[in-house]
Amino acid sequence: MGGVAGHMDHLYDDRDLTFTGMKEILSVASEGNLSYEEKVDGQNIFLSYDLSANPPRAVAARNMGNIKKGGMDASALANKFAGRGGLTEAFTGGFKTFEKAVEVLSSSQKKIFGESANIWYNSEVMSPSSPNVIQYDTKNLKIHDSGHKMKDPETGRPVPADVSENLKVLDDNLKNMQN
């Protein structure tokens, strides 16, 4: 992950991981008791929804400053990545999918995002038009299981947040929209 989230380490990135630690991880995994999230190789973006905007709208952030300013709407996101070919298509397509998924959540929007984009979801856009190391053959928008942020009301800066309750509702809707 890049952007606001930073880099998600592989096991081999952890220079302090000992052989005993690796053995423990493999043992727990072989028993089917490991909590994990698949590492994907797309473009990282944070997503939220601003109910206080007129009209309410989906917003995106690639850095801390974007979150502090309330995020970018569809037009600002397209302008930021204009002229970058497949990357432009990946971000704008993923954003549109997110927007559609959120619009049908009308009764849950405030709980999931807060009144004015207070809660931000760590997400990844994967598209054949914008490959990194892994070349995907389908377009996907993945809301990660962790790394989400809440906008601190005093500073406006994003701080870590546990949004696991809301994540299932959002993720299920997103899967329906992608299908």
Side-chain angles (χ1 to χ4, degrees), residues 1-6 40-47 61-62 77 81 84 86-92 94-95 121-134 136 140-144:
M1 294 182 284
V4 179
V40 293
D41 185 42
Q43 312 296 333
N44 186 253
I45 190 165
F46 273 67
L47 298 167
R62 282 280 295 161
L77 181 67
F81 292 99
R84 297 195 198 177
L87 183 62
T88 307
E89 181 188 324
F91 275 130
T92 57
F95 188 81
Y121 291 85
N122 182 14
S123 310
E124 201 86 10
V125 178
M126 293 149 292
S127 174
S129 67
S130 181
N132 271 345
V133 175
I134 299 171
Y136 293 97
N140 290 292
L141 176 62
K142 165 71 175 142
I143 307 289
H144 289 291

Side-chain angles (χ1 to χ4, degrees), residues 4-17:
V4 179
H7 174 73
M8 179 190 275
D9 287 342
H10 291 277
L11 288 176
Y12 59 75
D13 288 325
D14 184 349
R15 303 235 187 253
D16 296 326
L17 183 61

Side-chain angles (χ1 to χ4, degrees), residues 53-68:
N54 190 12
R57 63 179 185 219
V59 287
R62 282 280 295 161
N63 57 48
M64 300 281 196
N66 293 149
I67 290 178
K68 202 169 184 177

Side-chain angles (χ1 to χ4, degrees), residues 4 61 63-71 116-120 149-159:
V4 179
N63 57 48
M64 300 281 196
N66 293 149
I67 290 178
K68 202 169 184 177
K69 291 177 184 173
S116 55
N118 307 90
I119 302 169
W120 290 82
K149 307 284 183 188
M150 186 170 284
K151 194 170 166 182
D152 183 292
E154 292 177 22
T155 66
R157 296 189 57 78
V159 295

Side-chain angles (χ1 to χ4, degrees), residues 19-168:
F19 179 76
T20 302
M22 179 67 83
K23 184 178 170 186
E24 216 172 279
I25 291 168
L26 294 173
S27 176
V28 171
S30 71
E31 295 166 3
N33 297 323
L34 183 67
S35 295
Y36 67 92
E37 179 174 1
E38 178 182 356
K39 182 172 169 68
V40 293
D41 185 42
Q43 312 296 333
N44 186 253
I45 190 165
F46 273 67
L47 298 167
S48 190
Y49 198 77
D50 188 353
L51 288 162
S52 67
N54 190 12
R57 63 179 185 219
V59 287
R62 282 280 295 161
N63 57 48
M64 300 281 196
N66 293 149
I67 290 178
K68 202 169 184 177
K69 291 177 184 173
M72 298 177 280
D73 63 12
S75 175
L77 181 67
N79 287 338
K80 180 173 181 72
F81 292 99
R84 297 195 198 177
L87 183 62
T88 307
E89 181 188 324
F91 275 130
T92 57
F95 188 81
K96 284 178 189 167
T97 300
F98 173 74
E99 216 168 20
K100 287 178 188 174
V102 171
E103 286 171 358
V104 298
L105 287 172
S106 57
S107 63
S108 307
Q109 288 173 340
K110 188 172 182 178
K111 182 178 188 242
I112 294 172
F113 301 103
E115 183 64 38
S116 55
N118 307 90
I119 302 169
W120 290 82
Y121 291 85
N122 182 14
S123 310
E124 201 86 10
V125 178
M126 293 149 292
S127 174
S129 67
S130 181
N132 271 345
V133 175
I134 299 171
Q135 301 219 357
Y136 293 97
D137 58 358
T138 61
K139 296 176 182 179
N140 290 292
L141 176 62
K142 165 71 175 142
I143 307 289
H144 289 291
D145 295 340
S146 61
H148 310 294
K149 307 284 183 188
M150 186 170 284
K151 194 170 166 182
D152 183 292
E154 292 177 22
T155 66
R157 296 189 57 78
V159 295
D162 177 7
V163 295
S164 49
E165 278 185 38
N166 300 334
L167 188 58
K168 179 156 179 29

